[in-house]
Amino acid sequence: RRHAAAFTKARRDRFGDRDWIDRFLSAAAPGCEILDIGCGPGAPVALHIAAAGHQVTGIDSSPELLAEFRRNLPHASAHLSDMRKLALNRRFGGLWAWDSFFHLPAADQPAMFPIFAAHALPGAPLLFNSGPARGEAIGQFEGEDLYHASLDPQDYRDLLAAHDFELLAHSSEDPDCGGRTVWLARRLPD
């Protein structure tokens, strides 16, 4: 929250994840509504999703980042929420949890999969990223520690399957995506 302006500026100029965004969008139904979980300022990702003809609903736990999201996408829905408590009581045509989900402690991550399932229409793609292996890592942003955690890759496969998602694509430390480990899945029919 203290560095929302710096994050907004840094993220606006960095769009190396566009190939995965486009893969995600190609798996989504045309014109469907996308839930951006941990939406941040909405630029450039939510803007790109909206430009592709989708409605975007953003959720973030930072009021400062959510204010930026609302400025960047004034016609989009935006909700202040901790993703771990997300209960919108509706389902979406796609779920996007990019550069957000992995900031949760590993102990909290399994509980996100029923939340993903509760918010995904049948056939909806889910895209999230993690680290390449079980563990914690501390990065830096604006001179402060930035926490990341991951489960074992098999844990993610098991959680996806247990909550009726089929894995469509996975890349560990993708060199074309800034070294991110990426998971793209699709919600199976009810």
Side-chain angles (χ1 to χ4, degrees):
R1 294 183 60 192
R2 286 188 298 279
H3 302 295
F7 178 78
T8 298
K9 182 178 184 308
R11 182 63 174 129
R12 181 176 299 278
D13 299 333
R14 192 179 42 138
F15 201 14
D17 38 16
R18 187 173 180 155
D19 288 344
W20 278 101
I21 296 165
D22 290 339
R23 286 178 80 173
F24 167 81
L25 291 175
S26 71
C32 71
E33 189 170 2
I34 305 295
L35 179 61
D36 189 345
I37 301 169
C39 63
V45 177
L47 287 171
H48 181 71
I49 291 170
H54 297 276
Q55 293 180 302
V56 180
T57 294
I59 69 116
D60 205 285
S61 62
S62 165
E64 295 81 4
L65 288 173
L66 203 60
E68 289 292 330
F69 179 89
R70 288 181 173 129
R71 274 191 282 282
N72 286 322
L73 289 103
H75 301 294
S77 263
H79 304 274
L80 182 65
S81 178
D82 180 325
M83 71 176 73
R84 295 169 290 190
K85 298 176 183 170
L86 187 63
L88 295 178
N89 299 315
R90 54 188 294 244
R91 296 164 89 186
F92 295 82
L95 302 168
W96 175 265
W98 194 254
D99 286 355
S100 59
F101 169 76
F102 61 24
H103 292 300
L104 296 179
D108 292 352
Q109 290 184 20
M112 283 303 301
F113 287 82
I115 292 171
F116 292 150
H119 289 86
L121 288 167
L126 163 66
L127 190 96
F128 66 94
N129 52 334
S130 69
R134 178 183 305 278
E136 296 178 320
I138 304 295
Q140 290 283 310
F141 186 74
E142 295 292 307
E144 293 194 47
D145 289 346
L146 187 58
Y147 177 83
H148 302 81
S150 290
L151 304 176
D152 184 81
Q154 189 58 49
D155 293 334
Y156 291 123
R157 286 183 183 88
D158 293 345
L159 286 161
L160 287 166
H163 294 90
D164 298 323
F165 285 94
E166 68 173 320
L167 185 60
L168 299 177
H170 169 67
S171 180
S172 184
E173 298 181 310
D174 189 330
D176 296 326
C177 193
R180 290 174 175 90
T181 294
V182 184
W183 301 85
L184 176 60
R186 180 189 314 273
R187 181 80 159 111
L188 296 169
D190 290 337

